[in-house]
Amino acid sequence: MKPLISDPRIAVVIPCYRVASHILDVIAAIGPEVAMIYVVDDHCPEGSGKLVLESVTDSRVRVIFNEANKGVGGATMAGYRAALNDGMDIAIKIDGDGQMPPALIPRFVAPILAGEADYTKGNRFFDIEGVRAMPRLRLVGNAVLSFFAKLSSGYWQIFDPNNGYTAIHTRLIAALPLEKISERFFFESDMLFRLNTLGAVVQDIPMTAVYGDEISNLRIAEIIGQFLRGHGRNFSKRIFYNYFLRNFSIASIELLLGLLLFGAGIGFGLEHWLASLRTG
């Protein structure tokens, strides 16, 4: 299929926080299909940005320094803005810890170039061997959060919503309210919700993550409440936006009646259950 974007300009955005031991290898593995590489030092205590400036001679590399730590989302959006300002067509986001092989970049951009998707994201659950290699805590956490992400975003066909290996057409970046998107670990899930409000086509890309000696900054116990609140808020917004604000159809009436009848049924059932307890 002939690409819809002729001579595409592809950028890679790499948020950096405590990745000094891996970032140079990640940059070195990025192929010639990429026009620009934005390394975003998110106030990294290891000085990842300074290390890149001192060690990398690749002319495609530009280091962006955040004055304060903004989280993976804030760092990614800093790179998105730079890619948009520089006239890039597609922005790839990969982490600086070596878990996301840059060799997969052509696979992520292909559906966007062909006009089949606006946004692509990795899915580590296609290959059973890859699933077995995944740390158990991550496996359970991703399975639970995937369901809530489907519910809040409306993208029922996707899985592994918190996968940070993504590609996006820059026309979407221009349309997104970047200032409203979560800057922390909820970033990827919040992006899916925002993309749904724009009617963007999202496609999963099978991949296998590489787990080595990197240290994850994600603490499931600390962020589970944040994720549940965020998904609940986005679910409510999506229903309101899609069924009442932007469109009102028979589905909207069915939704209202369904909720009304569901609530009445629960109340009726509880009343009779309690009455049965009292009478034996």
Side-chain angles (χ1 to χ4, degrees):
M1 180 180 292
K2 182 179 179 181
L4 296 183
I5 304 175
S6 59
D7 193 22
R9 301 197 70 198
I10 300 171
V12 169
V13 176
I14 311 176
C16 291
Y17 188 80
R18 297 188 184 277
V19 294
S21 60
H22 299 89
I23 184 61
L24 299 183
D25 291 334
V26 172
I27 294 173
I30 296 175
E33 69 277 3
V34 172
M36 288 292 295
I37 302 171
Y38 301 101
V39 175
V40 185
D41 184 314
D42 195 29
H43 204 65
C44 176
E46 298 175 351
S48 298
K50 182 179 179 181
L51 174 66
V52 171
L53 285 177
E54 295 174 347
S55 307
V56 177
T57 58
D58 192 328
S59 61
R60 300 174 299 171
V61 175
R62 173 183 165 192
V63 180
I64 300 170
F65 291 92
N66 283 344
E67 294 182 359
N69 178 262
K70 295 185 176 181
V72 63
T76 300
M77 287 186 283
Y80 279 175
R81 291 185 178 96
L84 187 62
N85 290 336
D86 289 344
M88 298 291 113
D89 297 303
I90 298 174
I92 315 290
K93 182 264 182 184
I94 63 175
D95 290 341
D97 58 10
Q99 288 189 14
M100 303 172 180
L104 298 179
I105 288 176
R107 187 186 301 179
F108 277 75
V109 303
I112 300 177
L113 294 178
E116 299 171 353
D118 303 302
Y119 183 87
T120 58
K121 51 170 289 298
N123 186 340
R124 295 164 289 182
F125 291 84
F126 270 91
D127 180 17
I128 188 63
E129 295 302 323
V131 172
R132 288 174 178 170
M134 186 178 295
R136 184 171 298 177
L137 182 60
R138 291 190 184 187
L139 182 61
V140 174
N142 271 284
V144 173
L145 292 175
S146 287
F147 172 76
F148 286 105
K150 289 170 180 282
L151 194 65
S152 68
S153 71
Y155 287 114
W156 292 97
Q157 78 283 6
I158 60 99
F159 205 73
D160 198 12
N162 300 309
N163 193 309
Y165 204 145
T166 64
I168 184 172
H169 198 299
T170 52
R171 68 166 178 261
L172 279 180
I173 297 176
L176 285 168
L178 298 182
E179 70 284 353
K180 295 182 179 180
I181 299 175
S182 174
E183 294 186 334
R184 298 291 170 178
F185 290 114
F186 193 60
F187 168 67
E188 287 87 3
S189 295
D190 208 18
M191 276 287 292
L192 289 172
F193 161 70
R194 299 291 176 180
L195 291 169
N196 182 276
T197 65
L198 297 176
V201 177
V202 176
Q203 182 174 322
D204 270 354
I205 304 296
M207 64 169 290
T208 301
V210 179
Y211 298 105
D213 60 352
E214 68 284 342
I215 300 175
S216 175
N217 297 305
L218 179 63
R219 300 292 180 267
I220 296 294
E222 296 176 5
I223 56 87
I224 188 67
Q226 173 191 339
F227 271 62
L228 292 177
R229 288 192 299 272
H231 284 308
R233 179 185 66 247
N234 286 351
F235 172 74
S236 301
K237 286 182 177 180
R238 180 174 69 83
I239 295 300
F240 176 69
Y241 290 166
N242 292 349
Y243 289 92
F244 299 101
L245 181 63
R246 295 176 177 173
N247 187 27
F248 192 88
S249 64
I250 188 64
S252 307
I253 298 174
E254 290 172 344
L255 177 62
L256 288 174
L257 290 176
L259 290 173
L260 179 63
L261 293 173
F262 177 75
I266 291 293
F268 182 82
L270 284 175
E271 179 184 354
H272 282 74
W273 181 68
L274 291 173
S276 296
L277 284 179
R278 288 194 301 267
T279 62

